Amino acid sequence: MASLRSRDIIFQTVNRIIKGVKWFFSNPTCVFFLGLAIVLLATTLEVVRGRNTNYFDYQDSTRMFWEGLTPYTMEYAQAHSIYFLYSPVFNVIFAPIFLLPWWLGPYVWNICNYSLFALAIKMLPAELDRYKHWIFLFLLSVLLQAVFCYQHNTIVAYIYIFAFILLERGKGFWAVFLIMLSATTKVYGVAELAILFCYPKVWRNFGYAILCGAFFLLLPAINTAFDNVFVLYGQMFDMIASHHSDSDFIGILFARGLKPFLLPNYRIVQLVTLGILGVLFFWRYKRWKELRFRIQALGVLTGFMILFSDCPETHTYIICLPFYAMAFWLQPKRTWLDWTLFWSLVVNFCILPTDVLCPAWLHEYIHETFWIDVYTYFFCWLRMLWWAVGPEEMKEMKGMKECLSPKGAQHHFFISTLPFLSFLSFLSFLSFLPVRAQKPATYIYKVKGVQFKMKLVEGGTFMMGALPGDTLADDDELRHQVTVKTFYMGETEVTQELWEAVMEKNRSKIKDAKMPVEYVTYDMCQEFITRLNALTKQHFRLPTEAEWEYAARGGKHSKGFLYAGSNNINEVAHTLDDTHDGMHWPVAQLKPNELGLYDMSGNVWEWCSDWYRKTPTSKPSSNFIIIRGGAYDCSPRYCRSTNRFMYDQRRRFKHVGLRLAL
């Protein structure tokens, strides 16, 4: 009897838990706040770990824009391991968030994007009232994946939805305003203009599009730091054109079995597919008046943009999945095939890519082996296309209205931000060693058993900047005369074993005692140097930019080489042209330069102590510190001794390290 009672208690407890879980996930408010709590947790984790790299990209590019610098260069792409593919309009609109404290901006970005996406789903047409919660629940996992990595695709997605809602309510101007806001920040958004054909006053709405587009495109001209800000648009399109990659993105062009045929001809595939879709769309013009068709058309359009894109990722599907979900639930009859495809989407886009639900290695194995996720959505996309243009076999659902009647209230969405200026501004100039009658060519130091060498660099006057005849030089490599005092420079980049001897933790991504330390911010380097000085009773520091270039070019012994020690890049540097595994190398493996300094070209970028100046006489940046030397994942062009670049002082990455001066 006691065992039966215990079993009953267990069954009742389990039953209550199941009912509680069902109630919780059936309640829209509970689901929204669960997602919001995850957003706060994810944002905190990424901010604390310094891994909010997409947000850094928005932040760095915005700083550069307002300081009159361009992020549309291969140098920026290779130094940040990411292309900046947003227009200057984005940098204007992002400015209010950019002005927030560095720790608050990521929270504002993520919370607002999550909340606006949820609001967009809540405001869908009345015909979807009974399905709105389930649509949001279906999208929640993909939404959180996009929010976790600070993706702009979330904005593209909810602008698509808001513009659709406004068109359904007869608010053509505001719908077009949002479409052009999206289109002029990232080109994905412009595709929604095609749906204007399904609504009244189509040519008036296209007129609005021209006016709104002109307004947004002219908006960056308020920044007077550029002589001609519109040059940036040309640079942006050049970057977009060069952005095609041969790696396996999550799209049909890269799918196993199809990649050898589709990828080499990807532009033709894209244009032919788009042409066929256009013909089918106008062929079924009589269906334009149906709400269901308009949703299906947007589903097909957004699906095409992602499936046939050059570089889609799992979280990119947040743009197209909302319209598939709407089209699915609006189907009067859903067959076994529809349900099979739907649940396959749930598994492949909501469960498998979520680390807490599925180990990352298992997801990668399933995707890379079978590509089920891409093929599943591809078949869902074809099914949606069939719903839109196939035979009219089923009548509309009973009571479905063709359009929503306009409501009196208008909704305006904006982020209220308070400007906040708390930039850290300090430059610490440490004293040089006292002048001695004869300086030894090499100083050898030892810290907790780890030995490192400092090489003498005799002072002198030189022409800093591009070498004569260097056709690869950038605009900021202006030649000017500089005098450098005698100092010592580290024979190699600071190694991980030296870092570990001084600091408590080695945060490098690829660990090896003899490899250069990387993934360190400017401030972390300063802390390392402070501790090193306390241990050695010396005055180590970061080199100035002039010192770095003078030493890289060989100082008084310079032979005028393009790279640090040779005109042949392969003799002195590890770069993108090497046949290696995409990582840096142990120090001092190649030929040194004229002063006996290793790896001053390639391997990892090296922090200097100076704030970046575009010209020798221009105002210094208040955010960007100079880095020099290029890295293992940079083209040889960016490993020239005279090449210069800048990095956010708070940012760290797997190819940025340091070299000591004394």
Side-chain angles (χ1 to χ4, degrees):
M1 290 294 292
S3 61
L4 287 175
R5 286 176 185 170
S6 299
R7 189 180 303 170
D8 289 341
I9 292 172
I10 292 172
F11 284 149
Q12 289 173 4
T13 303
V14 171
N15 193 38
R16 286 180 187 144
I17 292 172
I18 293 173
K19 286 182 179 179
V21 170
K22 284 183 178 179
W23 173 85
F24 184 91
F25 283 99
S26 298
N27 188 307
T29 303
C30 292
V31 172
F32 172 81
F33 281 104
L34 172 65
L36 184 60
I38 296 173
V39 167
L40 291 170
L41 177 61
T43 304
T44 301
L45 286 173
E46 295 302 274
V47 169
V48 169
R49 295 187 294 180
R51 290 178 50 181
N52 44 331
T53 53
N54 280 317
Y55 185 84
F56 283 143
D57 193 36
Y58 309 144
Q59 176 180 270
D60 287 357
S61 62
T62 301
R63 284 199 181 104
M64 292 176 70
F65 171 78
W66 289 105
E67 293 185 12
L69 307 172
T70 175
Y72 304 111
T73 64
M74 285 301 298
E75 188 173 15
Y76 179 95
Q78 293 183 1
H80 292 75
S81 289
I82 192 170
Y83 287 77
F84 184 69
L85 299 178
Y86 307 93
S87 80
V89 179
F90 174 86
N91 298 129
V92 176
I93 297 170
F94 187 74
I97 297 179
F98 164 72
L99 290 173
L100 293 171
W102 68 269
W103 59 268
L104 181 59
Y107 286 95
V108 172
W109 176 267
N110 274 348
I111 292 171
C112 288
N113 284 335
Y114 172 79
S115 301
L116 287 170
F117 187 93
L119 180 62
I121 298 299
K122 184 177 181 180
M123 294 178 63
L124 286 172
E127 288 84 349
L128 287 158
D129 277 352
R130 60 185 295 195
Y131 306 118
K132 290 176 183 178
H133 174 60
W134 305 112
I135 291 172
F136 182 73
L137 195 60
F138 165 68
L139 297 170
L140 182 61
S141 177
V142 184
L143 172 62
L144 293 175
Q145 293 168 37
V147 167
F148 189 78
C149 48
Y150 300 83
Q151 279 294 324
H152 183 269
N153 293 321
T154 309
I155 299 177
V156 178
Y158 65 65
I159 284 182
Y160 260 95
I161 299 170
F162 277 132
F164 162 68
I165 293 168
L166 289 167
L167 286 170
E168 291 296 313
R169 298 186 178 191
K171 308 294 183 182
F173 173 80
W174 292 109
V176 170
F177 184 86
L178 286 181
I179 293 172
M180 296 313 297
L181 172 63
S182 178
T184 53
T185 53
K186 195 171 184 181
V187 292
Y188 273 150
V190 73
E192 193 171 9
L193 289 176
I195 203 66
L196 294 181
F197 285 105
C198 296
Y199 295 91
K201 302 178 180 178
V202 57
W203 299 115
R204 183 196 66 178
N205 289 335
F206 274 112
Y208 288 154
I210 294 172
L211 292 175
C212 292
F215 168 76
F216 285 119
L217 291 175
L218 290 170
L219 197 57
I222 64 176
N223 180 11
T224 58
F226 290 95
D227 294 331
N228 183 0
V229 72
F230 300 106
V231 172
L232 294 179
Y233 288 109
Q235 296 172 343
M236 179 190 73
F237 284 113
D238 288 342
M239 290 302 295
I240 292 173
S242 65
H243 180 48
H244 174 64
S245 174
D246 210 13
S247 59
D248 287 340
F249 287 104
I250 317 298
I252 200 67
L253 297 175
F254 306 89
R256 185 176 296 277
L258 296 179
K259 179 179 177 180
F261 307 101
L262 299 183
L263 192 59
N265 307 296
Y266 71 103
R267 288 297 182 218
I268 296 175
V269 172
Q270 291 169 337
L271 292 173
V272 170
T273 305
L274 185 61
I276 293 172
L277 294 178
V279 170
L280 293 174
F281 177 74
F282 284 98
W283 177 48
R284 289 300 189 184
Y285 71 93
K286 291 183 179 179
R287 297 186 184 177
W288 291 359
K289 62 182 179 180
E290 301 172 9
L291 172 66
R292 186 147 42 97
F293 175 84
R294 295 193 290 272
I295 290 174
Q296 292 162 352
L298 278 170
V300 170
L301 180 66
T302 53
F304 164 77
M305 290 192 316
I306 308 307
L307 270 177
F308 293 86
S309 171
D310 301 357
C311 51
E313 299 175 88
T314 300
H315 50 68
T316 315
Y317 284 78
I318 192 66
I319 297 172
C320 58
L321 287 176
F323 291 101
Y324 170 78
M326 289 183 241
F328 174 83
W329 289 113
L330 279 182
Q331 279 302 105
K333 183 179 179 182
R334 292 175 285 277
T335 66
W336 66 269
L337 175 62
D338 298 324
W339 282 109
T340 301
L341 290 174
F342 176 82
W343 286 110
S344 295
L345 277 185
V346 172
V347 171
N348 284 285
F349 283 90
C350 303
I351 296 176
L352 293 182
T354 307
D355 291 349
V356 295
L357 300 177
C358 173
W361 65 265
L362 179 59
H363 170 236
E364 290 175 6
Y365 173 77
I366 293 172
H367 164 71
E368 294 175 3
T369 306
F370 305 107
W371 284 74
I372 298 176
D373 46 359
V374 174
Y375 281 114
T376 295
Y377 182 76
F378 180 61
F379 288 125
C380 288
W381 182 76
L382 291 176
R383 182 64 171 166
M384 193 162 41
L385 180 61
W386 176 256
W387 291 339
V389 300
E392 187 71 41
E393 295 179 353
M394 294 175 281
K395 302 296 180 183
E396 292 182 351
M397 291 184 291
K398 185 177 180 181
M400 179 177 286
K401 300 176 183 179
E402 292 180 353
C403 292
L404 286 173
S405 58
K407 293 187 178 180
Q410 295 184 2
H411 298 267
H412 300 275
F413 312 107
F414 62 92
I415 300 171
S416 298
T417 61
L418 294 175
F420 183 93
L421 297 174
S422 66
F423 295 119
L424 195 62
S425 58
F426 65 91
L427 283 171
S428 54
F429 293 98
L430 303 176
S431 302
F432 289 102
L433 286 174
V435 178
R436 300 176 185 176
Q438 287 186 340
K439 290 179 177 291
T442 303
Y443 271 126
I444 300 176
Y445 293 94
K446 186 175 286 188
V447 177
K448 296 181 181 178
V450 178
Q451 181 176 289
F452 64 101
K453 298 178 180 180
M454 303 295 294
K455 291 284 187 177
L456 176 67
V457 182
E458 295 181 73
T461 299
F462 76 112
M463 290 300 295
M464 185 174 177
L467 296 175
D470 184 0
T471 58
L472 299 176
D474 295 320
D475 293 340
D476 62 354
E477 297 176 35
L478 297 177
R479 289 175 62 80
H480 60 289
Q481 185 171 293
V482 176
T483 298
V484 175
K485 295 181 180 179
T486 298
F487 68 103
Y488 282 83
M489 184 71 110
E491 181 184 52
T492 69
E493 295 148 330
V494 171
T495 60
Q496 294 181 30
E497 63 177 352
L498 177 57
W499 183 275
E500 289 178 1
V502 175
M503 304 291 282
E504 296 176 358
K505 187 173 183 180
N506 175 15
R507 299 181 180 274
S508 300
K509 289 299 182 182
I510 304 173
K511 290 184 170 58
D512 185 279
K514 297 299 183 182
M515 282 188 178
V517 70
E518 29 85 5
Y519 204 60
V520 288
T521 65
Y522 175 82
D523 289 341
M524 290 167 66
C525 294
Q526 296 290 15
E527 182 183 356
F528 165 80
I529 290 170
T530 299
R531 294 191 184 190
L532 178 64
N533 288 339
L535 290 170
T536 61
K537 309 304 180 185
Q538 298 296 326
H539 298 285
F540 292 104
R541 57 182 173 82
L542 291 174
T544 67
E545 182 184 14
E547 288 173 338
W548 191 99
E549 183 172 321
Y550 182 68
R553 290 166 61 171
K556 284 189 172 182
H557 306 282
S558 176
K559 297 179 181 178
F561 292 134
L562 186 63
Y563 308 103
S566 177
N567 285 325
N568 182 354
I569 187 69
N570 295 320
E571 291 183 352
V572 294
H574 299 294
T575 69
L576 192 63
D577 286 1
D578 287 349
T579 54
H580 64 304
D581 298 326
M583 56 185 283
H584 46 75
W585 291 69
V587 299
Q589 299 295 302
L590 299 175
K591 176 183 173 183
N593 76 347
E594 298 92 322
L595 296 175
L597 303 175
Y598 293 89
D599 300 309
M600 294 204 75
S601 290
N603 219 12
V604 295
W605 291 93
E606 300 173 14
W607 287 105
C608 294
S609 62
D610 306 51
W611 297 102
Y612 178 80
R613 296 174 186 261
K614 191 172 184 179
T615 69
T617 57
S618 62
K619 181 181 178 182
S621 169
S622 58
N623 302 286
F624 294 106
I625 299 288
I626 285 288
I627 56 173
R628 298 293 297 256
Y632 65 90
D633 56 355
C634 289
S635 300
R637 171 180 181 174
Y638 305 120
C639 299
R640 294 173 298 111
S641 298
T642 61
N643 184 69
R644 52 202 304 269
F645 199 58
M646 80 294 287
Y647 228 58
D648 187 320
Q649 61 170 332
R650 293 186 298 268
R651 190 164 186 185
R652 52 183 171 159
F653 211 71
K654 61 184 179 181
H655 53 205
V656 180
L658 76 153
R659 186 184 301 262
L660 294 171
L662 178 65

